[in-house]
Amino acid sequence: MADRRDDDMRPDPFDGGRIRYNHAPGEQHRPAMPDFDAWRDDAPPPPELAPARRLPRISTRWIMRGLGAFVILLVLTIAWLAITAPLSQSLKPPTPPSITLTAADGTPIARRGAIIGKPVDAAQLPAHVREAFMAIEDRRFYSHWGIDPRGIARAAWANLGSGGVRQGGSTITQQLAKNAFLDSDRTAARKIREVFIAFWLEAWLSKDEILSRYLSNVYFGDNVYGLRAASKHYFGREPEKMNIGQAAMLAGLVKAPSRLAPTSNLKGARERQAVVVAAMVDAGFLTKAQGADVQPQRVKTRPAQTLPTGTYFADWVLPDARDQAGEVQTEATVRTTLDRGLQRTAERVIRQAGLRQAQAALVAMRRNGEVVAMVGGRDYKKSPFNRAVQAKRQPGSTFKLFVYLAALRAGMSPDTMVDDSRVEIAGWSPKNDDNRYLGEITLQRAFQRSSNVVAARLTQEVGVRNVIRAARDLGISTPIANEATIGLGTSEVSLLELTAAFAGVADGRYPVQPHGLRNVADKSWYQALTDGQRTLPSRIHDDMLTLLAASVRGTGRAAALSVDAYGKTGTSQSGRDAWFIGFAGDLVVGVWVGNDDNTPNPGLHGGGIPAQIWRNFMVSALDLAPVVKAPVVEDVDPEAGLVGVIENEIAPAVGRLEGLGVDLEIGPDGSINVRQPEPPPPPRLRREDVEPVFEDEPQ
């Protein structure tokens, strides 16, 4: 190879097989052949034959891989946003826990928590309402894509010059993303998510839709959320009718709603209103003349019409409503069992009962325990104490329900003969209210006249434990003394529990759990096995109905209806508590009357005002005809003489007899008060009918 010239050109196998030509001037071109003898298998190629360097080339395969990764990332991002930031959530204001309770027909009856207005449509709002918010919050709202670089730069420059955070660069879209989907922390990760969600909202919603959702859930102070609720709350008008000043004042509240709420800081709200008006002029939304004409706004002293925030029923059902709603993040609506018509009826009959200074409570429920009406006192505003649920009072003779249930369980029947005569038990001598003792009478007759001595004898005979067991079976959970006096109702109980116990007898299944929600949570399998309902034997159920019907013809005659009615009166010592609890149709109703301080009410008894309230409620609730004549007692005691005839036949029909110059008033226990009628006052003479007499005239 020594005879080769430096410019010899040979085919280069390391250069893609390209053939280089070597020729002298004037010679024919011919390919130069390589000298393969000069190479060894393991020797590197000579320098003149080394591969030429090439620029790196991007493979199509890597381009496709990058494109596929981008598509996958985009799909994952969209899926993540669809799950964590559903568009529907942007309609819900980020309020503190708020529960709206509705009646059985879906009508709202009470609210606990924030006042939330219905959504607004930005396209239907006056231009100055939209422009007031844009001027102070986001002037280029209709031109940016979710973020405003100019606004961010302006805020950064202002903050840098002031040495702190004085301005924010968030757009209305970003504020909606933050309010609806994110928490209030200031981390970089949250800010990145905010930007992503802002782009997401801009991609799927129009500008008017974004502005509508922002205005519908922004906070305006005073626990008010949404532009509609705020305009009604502060100005008493719809947002479509707000003037420029009112719109500017509300737009100014967004910066610091709690501090600037005009109901507590009118001066600050007006100063902020002026700032917004100046911003509207600066942005070109208003002329200087229009801005100068805007006057400081006044706030309506009349509060906006809202739902009541407290009633006896709502207070009682709210804990269960919160449990049913679970973890309430914003607003929840829970349907209750309340019947608005029956609730109005209950309030009316209590109001018209002529209670004077006494208090009253009423509970009405279905036989399955659904509470449809509840009155816990005469006036919730004056006293929110719920006497139907929270008060524990002596039930008097209504507790005899459990004594007679224990007696029927022991094998007795309404026809069983019992001794209605004086008795002494361990030094205790109970007495009948009317001081009359009839000797041997039937169990039904004893229950009808509510004999105390028979109840005491039965308690002793069947055993105190069995009486307590009957009360527990029917749902009484309050402490019950282990003594014979419980048969007369000396242990305290609530009206709600006692009414539910009567519901167990009415339904034939016990215990009945009173509840105020439409959807009662299912019990666990353990509760179903241990706390399930049991059925009253048909014989005992029929006998209990016989006794309760007889009572309505006896001490409870004032509660008689034109349909079959069942119930029991009760009166504690000195008329401190008066009760009537009974059922007719599908309604079980309990009524209590008494004083909060437990002082006596002379003349008050369960067969009086409570029975009348019960009857008036039932007549209206069941749409019954008024009772013209109460049913005559079937069990007339011949030994009762005239008193028995009046008690069993005459009294149920008229209650009071007048005639022959004698006024007969029948007491609830059959006693008679005879009173002479007062003589009528002398007729008043007219002045012209009397001849004048002058003292100085001679007679």
Side-chain angles (χ1 to χ4, degrees):
M1 297 179 60
D3 58 347
R4 295 177 186 165
R5 296 192 307 271
D6 292 338
D7 58 346
D8 285 343
M9 299 298 293
R10 300 168 180 263
D12 190 352
F14 297 97
D15 193 15
R18 184 175 62 182
I19 300 177
R20 297 183 181 183
Y21 293 91
N22 180 20
H23 57 87
E27 294 182 352
Q28 186 179 0
H29 292 273
R30 58 181 176 84
M33 300 300 294
D35 185 3
F36 295 100
D37 295 337
W39 296 343
R40 296 195 311 269
D41 293 339
D42 57 347
E48 65 272 16
L49 298 180
R53 292 187 178 183
R54 295 172 297 170
L55 294 175
R57 292 182 298 176
I58 300 176
S59 173
T60 304
R61 180 173 57 183
W62 285 105
I63 294 176
M64 297 303 297
R65 287 179 179 177
L67 183 61
F70 174 77
V71 172
I72 293 175
L73 182 61
L74 179 63
V75 171
L76 291 177
T77 303
I78 294 176
W80 170 70
L81 289 173
I83 295 174
T84 61
L87 295 179
S88 60
Q89 187 173 333
S90 63
L91 285 172
K92 301 177 182 179
T95 65
S98 174
I99 290 184
T100 299
L101 303 177
T102 70
D105 61 0
T107 304
I109 58 173
R111 176 184 290 127
R112 297 293 191 277
I115 302 173
I116 304 172
K118 294 182 179 179
V120 296
D121 184 357
Q124 301 298 324
L125 295 174
H128 61 261
V129 175
R130 300 191 301 269
E131 292 165 351
F133 286 89
M134 290 191 298
I136 199 66
E137 295 294 328
D138 186 2
R139 295 186 184 182
R140 284 170 290 277
F141 170 71
Y142 280 98
S143 60
H144 61 64
W145 283 24
I147 61 173
D148 184 8
R150 291 175 57 185
I152 294 174
R154 172 186 49 78
W157 179 259
N159 294 336
L160 182 63
S162 61
V165 179
R166 300 296 182 185
Q167 295 185 17
S170 295
T171 64
I172 286 178
T173 310
Q174 287 178 269
Q175 293 182 52
L176 175 61
K178 179 180 65 177
N179 293 340
F181 305 107
L182 303 173
D183 50 30
S184 59
D185 62 357
R186 294 178 176 269
T187 62
R190 186 202 62 80
K191 197 67 178 178
I192 293 174
R193 289 185 63 203
E194 178 184 305
V195 172
F196 269 112
I197 296 175
F199 285 140
W200 165 259
L201 294 175
E202 291 279 350
W204 289 99
L205 300 175
S206 68
K207 286 292 186 179
D208 283 342
E209 288 175 331
I210 293 174
L211 184 58
S212 298
R213 299 185 184 210
Y214 168 77
L215 294 176
S216 297
N217 68 19
V218 70
Y219 181 50
F220 289 97
D222 271 7
N223 211 22
V224 175
Y225 290 79
L227 182 64
R228 191 173 303 279
S231 63
K232 290 182 178 180
H233 180 72
Y234 292 120
F235 308 121
R237 62 176 59 187
E238 296 290 340
E240 292 81 3
K241 298 181 179 180
M242 286 195 300
N243 59 37
I244 296 175
Q246 293 167 341
M249 179 174 282
L250 292 187
L253 298 182
V254 176
K255 178 182 179 181
S258 298
R259 179 172 58 85
L260 296 175
T263 50
S264 58
N265 185 10
L266 183 59
K267 179 182 178 181
R270 285 176 171 175
E271 291 175 352
R272 183 65 177 168
Q273 172 196 333
V275 172
V276 175
V277 172
M280 294 177 71
V281 173
D282 185 60
F285 297 139
L286 296 176
T287 64
K288 290 185 178 180
Q290 289 174 326
D293 290 340
V294 178
Q295 300 296 319
Q297 296 301 303
R298 296 180 179 180
V299 178
K300 293 287 185 180
T301 56
R302 177 178 56 85
Q305 185 177 3
T306 59
L307 292 175
T309 57
T311 60
Y312 294 111
F313 177 84
D315 289 345
W316 169 66
V317 81
L318 184 62
D320 290 336
R322 291 194 185 280
D323 290 343
Q324 186 181 101
E327 184 179 359
V328 181
Q329 297 292 342
T330 54
E331 183 180 21
T333 300
V334 178
R335 179 169 293 191
T336 70
T337 59
L338 188 76
D339 186 298
R340 291 193 303 148
L342 296 180
Q343 179 66 26
R344 287 193 295 266
T345 299
E347 294 171 356
R348 175 178 57 80
V349 297
I350 293 293
R351 187 171 57 251
Q352 298 175 350
L355 297 171
R356 298 183 181 178
Q357 301 301 319
Q359 281 287 353
L362 183 149
V363 172
M365 65 178 66
R366 304 294 181 190
R367 296 191 180 199
N368 62 358
E370 287 187 0
V371 177
V372 293
M374 177 182 289
V375 177
R378 296 172 59 182
D379 191 335
Y380 181 88
K381 293 181 179 179
K382 293 182 179 179
S383 175
F385 180 71
N386 194 337
R387 296 155 187 85
V389 178
Q390 297 171 283
K392 304 292 190 297
R393 308 297 288 260
Q394 290 185 345
S397 293
T398 55
F399 198 88
K400 292 174 183 175
L401 177 80
F402 311 114
V403 176
Y404 281 75
L405 175 58
L408 295 178
R409 284 177 169 180
M412 298 184 187
S413 72
D415 296 327
T416 301
M417 301 302 295
V418 290
D419 187 6
D420 181 31
S421 60
R422 295 182 181 274
V423 64
E424 182 175 340
I425 302 173
W428 171 55
S429 300
K431 297 180 180 179
N432 288 340
D433 291 338
D434 57 1
N435 287 318
R436 294 193 304 120
Y437 304 89
L438 305 182
E440 291 291 323
I441 59 175
T442 64
L443 197 71
Q444 176 178 337
R445 177 69 172 135
F447 193 81
Q448 175 186 346
R449 67 187 310 271
S450 194
S451 170
N452 289 337
V453 293
V454 170
R457 289 178 182 274
L458 290 176
T459 303
Q460 183 184 34
E461 182 175 349
V462 302
V464 174
R465 286 188 177 182
N466 288 326
V467 174
I468 295 176
R469 178 187 173 188
R472 296 292 185 226
D473 287 345
L474 291 181
I476 302 300
S477 61
T478 51
I480 302 176
N482 188 18
E483 55 188 30
T485 60
I486 63 172
L488 305 187
T490 56
S491 295
E492 295 179 340
V493 68
S494 74
L495 176 62
L496 182 66
E497 272 195 350
L498 195 54
T499 305
F502 275 73
V505 175
D507 194 46
R509 293 176 59 82
Y510 63 91
V512 169
Q513 181 64 41
H515 55 276
L517 301 182
R518 295 293 297 175
N519 299 320
V520 181
D522 294 333
K523 293 183 178 181
S524 64
W525 65 270
Y526 178 77
Q527 290 177 318
L529 290 177
T530 57
D531 299 332
Q533 283 190 322
R534 286 169 284 180
T535 302
L536 278 174
S538 58
R539 179 191 65 82
I540 294 179
H541 183 235
D542 293 341
D543 289 347
M544 286 301 304
L545 295 182
T546 299
L547 297 178
L548 291 169
S551 178
V552 173
R553 299 191 302 269
T555 58
R557 66 178 63 89
L561 303 175
S562 58
V563 298
D564 293 338
Y566 311 87
K568 184 71 185 75
T569 59
T571 309
S572 65
Q573 187 177 13
S574 301
R576 288 178 169 85
D577 304 282
W579 310 69
F580 188 88
I581 304 178
F583 50 91
D586 190 40
L587 287 176
V588 185
V589 180
V591 178
W592 167 88
V593 176
N595 295 330
D596 285 339
D597 58 4
N598 204 30
T599 53
N601 290 283
L604 181 65
H605 50 82
I609 292 179
Q612 295 167 11
I613 293 175
W614 187 92
R615 179 197 61 206
N616 293 339
F617 177 84
M618 283 297 197
V619 167
S620 178
L622 301 178
D623 193 21
L624 302 176
V627 178
V628 178
K629 181 179 179 180
V632 177
V633 175
E634 298 175 0
D635 181 18
V636 178
D637 187 349
E639 297 182 0
L642 177 62
V643 173
V645 173
I646 293 176
E647 179 186 18
N648 296 303
E649 296 182 1
I650 302 177
V654 294
R656 172 179 288 189
L657 299 178
E658 295 181 358
L660 302 178
V662 180
D663 187 5
L664 300 181
E665 185 174 5
I666 310 301
D669 54 359
S671 59
I672 305 174
N673 294 324
V674 181
R675 297 182 300 179
Q676 293 291 339
E678 297 180 1
R684 299 181 62 181
L685 299 178
R686 293 178 301 174
R687 189 179 187 88
E688 56 270 21
D689 295 336
V690 181
E691 183 179 354
V693 177
F694 302 95
E695 294 182 355
D696 57 353
E697 184 175 313
Q699 302 293 322

